[in-house]
């Protein structure tokens, strides 16, 4: 619906518009300037990376994986994880190619899915912590596999994900987490 509204707006505007569809963002700035620091009330509904880091830091007792009976290689959902550094690069490429009256719509991802179990194992290795995992029944409506097809953005904007090592991206994010125990707060 949001895309439809943007497309309607573009019909009567000279604004250059690009729509980027991205999936599960992970990682942090490799130079340590920026990282993930959700407000406490948002942590419960946060992303899997935040839950893994909270568990590794002892903020929560472990993580909850919902669903182990999907028709995937290990029974858990498969998702496309995109490093934030690649996402920034995709935005820059989109801005460089944006033209009025020519809305670009692009999927931004690796094009490769990773299972939730693989993600958790990568997080355990990146943090060096044996994170406790509780397996629960699946959530209603969750798809077994969701990952991008980045063919169009590669072809039209010459963009491709470069930071695709899950453990490395999580390791960079973990360094930020350890250095910023209170997020951006100085207290």
């Amino acid at each position: 619906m949001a895309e439809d509204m943007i497309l309607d707006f573009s019909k009567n505007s000279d604004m250059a518009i690009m729509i980027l569809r991205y999936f599960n963002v992970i990682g942090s700035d490799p130079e340590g300037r920026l990282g993930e620091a959700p407000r406490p009330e948002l942590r419960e509904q946060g992303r899997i990376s935040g839950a893994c880091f909270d568990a590794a830091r002892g903020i929560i007792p472990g993580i909850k994986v919902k669903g182990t009976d999907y028709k995937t290689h290990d029974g858990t959902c498969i998702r496309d994880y995109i490093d934030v550094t690649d996402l920034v690069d995709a935005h820059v490429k989109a801005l460089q190619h944006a033209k009025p009256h020519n809305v670009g719509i692009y999927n931004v991802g690796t094009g490769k899915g990773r299972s939730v179990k693989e993600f958790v194992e990568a997080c355990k290795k990146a943090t060096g912590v044996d994170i406790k995992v509780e397996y629960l029944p699946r959530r209603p409506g969750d798809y077994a596999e969701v990952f991008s097809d980045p063919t169009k953005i590669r072809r039209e904007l010459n963009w491709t994900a470069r930071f695709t090592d899950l453990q490395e991206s999580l390791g960079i994010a973990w360094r930020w987490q350890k250095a910023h125990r209170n997020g951006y707060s100085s207290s």
Side-chain angles (χ1 to χ4, degrees):
M1 183 195 241
E3 285 184 12
D4 288 341
M5 291 169 53
I6 292 167
L7 291 170
D8 282 347
F9 171 80
S10 73
K11 292 174 186 170
N12 298 310
S13 172
D14 290 332
M15 185 182 294
I17 298 172
M18 297 294 240
I19 297 172
L20 301 181
R21 300 171 178 153
Y22 39 92
F23 294 73
N24 300 280
V25 182
I26 62 168
S28 292
D29 170 36
E31 295 179 24
R33 296 169 295 198
L34 301 169
E36 181 179 11
R39 295 189 319 263
E41 66 271 18
L42 299 177
R43 290 187 114 97
E44 184 82 20
Q45 305 303 320
R47 301 188 324 271
I48 188 171
S49 59
C52 279
F53 295 142
D54 283 352
R57 291 175 53 197
I59 294 170
I60 59 175
I63 66 165
K64 297 175 182 177
V65 172
K66 297 179 181 172
T68 57
D69 60 346
Y70 291 95
K71 290 185 176 166
T72 62
H73 68 277
D74 65 14
T76 62
C77 291
I78 293 180
R79 298 294 182 259
D80 192 343
Y81 299 98
I82 179 79
D83 189 285
V84 69
T85 305
D86 283 326
L87 189 57
V88 168
D89 187 45
H91 279 84
V92 170
K93 290 271 188 175
L95 287 170
Q96 289 170 341
H97 289 84
K99 295 180 182 115
H101 308 292
N102 187 20
V103 177
I105 303 175
Y106 300 98
N107 293 329
V108 181
T110 65
K112 178 181 177 188
R114 296 288 193 43
S115 76
V116 171
K117 273 188 184 174
E118 289 171 325
F119 186 97
V120 171
E121 289 307 310
C123 196
K124 286 179 179 183
K125 289 177 184 172
T127 63
V129 177
D130 187 21
I131 298 165
K132 180 184 169 207
V133 181
E134 180 182 359
Y135 294 100
L136 301 171
R138 65 165 73 182
R139 292 184 301 197
D142 267 354
Y143 289 98
E145 297 185 47
V146 180
F147 52 93
S148 70
D149 177 358
T151 304
K152 183 179 176 188
I153 194 168
R154 183 174 35 246
R155 183 181 67 243
E156 294 183 10
L157 305 186
N158 194 31
W159 178 90
T160 190
R162 296 178 298 132
F163 300 93
T164 59
D165 183 313
L166 198 54
Q167 186 177 330
E168 186 177 332
S169 291
L170 292 170
I172 291 168
W174 178 238
R175 274 199 322 263
W176 192 90
Q177 290 286 320
K178 289 191 306 182
H180 300 87
R181 295 244 177 230
N182 297 317
Y184 291 102
S185 171
S186 60
S187 58

